[in-house]
Amino acid sequence: HVFKTRKTSPVPLPVDSIPPVAGAWLPGKIDAATRGATVKYQTDYAFDIAQSAVAYDGISGGLGGIQAAVSDVLGNNVFIFLLANTARTKDDLLSSFNGALTYVRRTSRFNFGLGAFHLYDEYYNDFDGYYYERLVGGVFSGSYPLSKFDRIESSIFVRYSDKDIYTLYNRRQALLATPTLSFISDNTLWESTGPLEGRRLNVTVGITHDFRSDQEFSRMVMADFRHYLRLRMLSCLASRFYAFQSTGIEPQRLYLGGSWSFRGYSRRHFYNRNILFNSEELRFPLINDFLVDFPVGSFRLRGIRGALFHDVGTAWDNQWHGWIGSFGASVRIALGYLVVLRFDFSRTHDFRSISDHTRTDFFFGWNF
């Protein structure tokens, strides 16, 4: 075969076709008919989520409820509904209806929400034990962004509370108002299992006042700071510093422990009104792509990560108990972009001795 080449010569460009500004592209004009052909936005609502559940327990009896969220196309207006019943007997059927309605409006820079609720159920915590409580009230919340990464949030809950700790024969009624104020900042960059670079901050203060007795029920301050120092493309040093304190007649208490917070201890090991906690974690990649072929198809996992961690913390009410800690290793598997499966292997210590038992926990969720 013989191939022949053809010589080409440049084509001259007319001077009139050159834009008036060198290197610039100018769009064509839009005629009046096209400009006038606009369609006004019509709000159309659809379900974002709708779910229900029905359960029966031989001791507690039956219960069930539904939850739904409805929003418009742009998400500017959101309605959230809750309806449930927690009656143990037929006599409690009407008084045990739980209902809540929340409206969130996000059409401007200042986002706000309004809500009303009636909640009644039996509850349990490690301080009061079992108790019944009825809550009837409303809530107003607002959020204002200072920048792309920083915002201020505030809310106020007003509610009537009827709490009956029947194991102690103690019943109290109160008309409570709880205003809170928060500063939130977040500029993190994420990969498949969690944040990899940046920092996150949440500082919240609040107070609860009882109008019936004209007393302060509780005061609360919380600070949660997380920093991510990127070492390589998929490696980082993650640090978390958390502090919480609540005082007053009925101070708020929080649980601490478990794979999500203080590893090496059970999920509800601590339940106190004062908490100090620090976690340091070295994150690194283990396997980026794991593929196994079977006769009927393939099984693939992407984003298998590892971590070495050390946690230090303490929790107390009135008497300081000293520092304790834990250390160990962790494996995280990204199940698509929906959730992360974590396996933690840890041992506890009190800075004098180390436990001889290795605790294994698994958890569905994201890294802190």
Side-chain angles (χ1 to χ4, degrees):
H1 298 280
V2 179
F3 297 94
K4 295 182 179 180
T5 60
R6 178 179 297 176
K7 295 183 178 179
T8 59
S9 58
V11 178
L13 182 65
V15 179
D16 296 341
S17 64
I18 300 177
V21 180
W25 176 83
L26 300 179
K29 294 182 178 180
I30 301 177
D31 55 29
T34 306
R35 268 200 314 270
T38 58
V39 178
K40 186 178 179 181
Y41 169 68
Q42 298 290 335
T43 301
D44 187 15
Y45 289 91
F47 280 100
D48 293 331
I49 183 174
Q51 58 186 8
S52 63
V54 177
Y56 181 82
D57 181 84
I59 299 176
S60 301
L63 56 90
I66 59 174
Q67 184 180 17
V70 179
S71 68
D72 58 6
V73 177
L74 298 180
N76 290 333
N77 300 278
V78 182
F79 294 90
I80 303 173
F81 306 89
L82 170 68
L83 183 63
N85 195 289
T86 57
R88 267 59 173 180
T89 64
K90 292 185 296 182
D91 297 336
D92 299 331
L93 184 64
L94 295 179
S95 61
S96 298
F97 268 104
N98 290 252
L101 171 63
T102 304
Y103 168 68
V104 180
R105 186 172 181 85
R106 297 182 290 204
T107 57
S108 61
R109 184 170 181 175
F110 174 71
N111 300 328
F112 68 90
L114 297 169
F117 55 87
H118 171 266
L119 304 174
Y120 177 74
D121 201 356
E122 181 185 26
Y123 304 93
Y124 174 84
N125 63 54
D126 291 336
F127 183 81
D128 297 316
Y130 290 96
Y131 64 94
Y132 287 98
E133 185 173 17
R134 186 182 306 278
L135 296 171
V136 183
V139 58
F140 174 82
S141 62
S143 174
Y144 185 81
L146 303 175
S147 66
K148 182 181 293 186
F149 306 112
D150 305 328
R151 68 183 185 272
I152 294 177
E153 292 186 356
S154 181
S155 64
I156 179 169
F157 287 82
V158 179
R159 62 207 181 275
Y160 166 75
S161 172
D162 185 0
K163 184 176 180 180
D164 185 7
I165 308 177
Y166 57 86
T167 56
L168 301 178
Y169 302 99
N170 181 21
R171 181 181 181 182
R172 73 105 177 94
Q173 296 172 314
L175 182 60
L176 306 174
T178 304
T180 63
L181 181 64
S182 302
F183 173 77
I184 300 173
S185 180
D186 189 344
N187 68 350
T188 53
L189 296 176
W190 285 51
E191 59 110 19
S192 58
T193 58
L196 194 63
E197 184 177 353
R199 49 108 179 102
R200 309 175 77 183
L201 173 66
N202 185 336
V203 178
T204 300
V205 295
I207 187 171
T208 299
H209 184 80
D210 178 24
F211 290 101
R212 298 189 61 174
S213 62
D214 197 24
Q215 291 180 316
E216 288 187 2
F217 257 41
S218 66
R219 294 173 294 277
M220 180 272 292
V221 58
M222 184 273 293
D224 191 344
F225 176 69
R226 310 177 187 190
H227 184 265
Y228 310 93
L229 176 62
R230 195 166 193 167
L231 304 177
R232 300 190 66 182
M233 179 62 69
L234 294 175
S235 302
C236 79
L237 178 62
S239 303
R240 183 187 181 190
F241 302 90
Y242 179 82
F244 174 84
Q245 183 184 54
S246 181
T247 60
I249 301 174
E250 290 189 13
Q252 183 179 357
R253 290 175 170 83
L254 299 182
Y255 284 104
L256 178 69
S259 180
W260 185 246
S261 57
F262 207 158
R263 288 161 287 198
Y265 299 91
S266 59
R267 187 170 62 92
R268 295 188 173 187
H269 189 88
F270 306 95
Y271 184 67
N272 300 95
R273 61 182 184 87
N274 299 291
I275 295 174
L276 292 174
F277 177 72
N278 166 247
S279 181
E280 301 291 335
E281 187 171 280
L282 177 62
R283 300 173 181 171
F284 49 87
L286 286 179
I287 302 174
N288 287 327
D289 196 351
F290 181 74
L291 176 64
V292 179
D293 284 326
F294 295 99
V296 294
S298 300
F299 176 74
R300 166 169 279 171
L301 289 175
R302 297 180 182 270
I304 301 178
R305 306 288 186 252
L308 301 176
F309 62 84
H310 183 251
D311 296 343
V312 177
T314 184
W316 74 100
D317 281 339
N318 300 315
Q319 183 178 358
W320 172 271
H321 299 298
W323 296 97
I324 55 176
S326 65
F327 64 93
S330 179
V331 177
R332 294 89 189 268
I333 304 173
L335 304 179
Y337 290 95
L338 300 177
V339 73
V340 175
L341 175 60
R342 294 173 34 176
F343 295 92
D344 296 325
F345 309 93
S346 57
R347 287 194 175 189
T348 61
H349 68 85
D350 59 2
F351 292 94
R352 293 183 300 272
S353 60
I354 300 174
S355 67
D356 56 0
H357 171 69
T358 300
R359 182 183 177 92
T360 303
D361 295 302
F362 74 93
F363 176 79
F364 286 97
W366 302 99
N367 295 334
F368 72 80

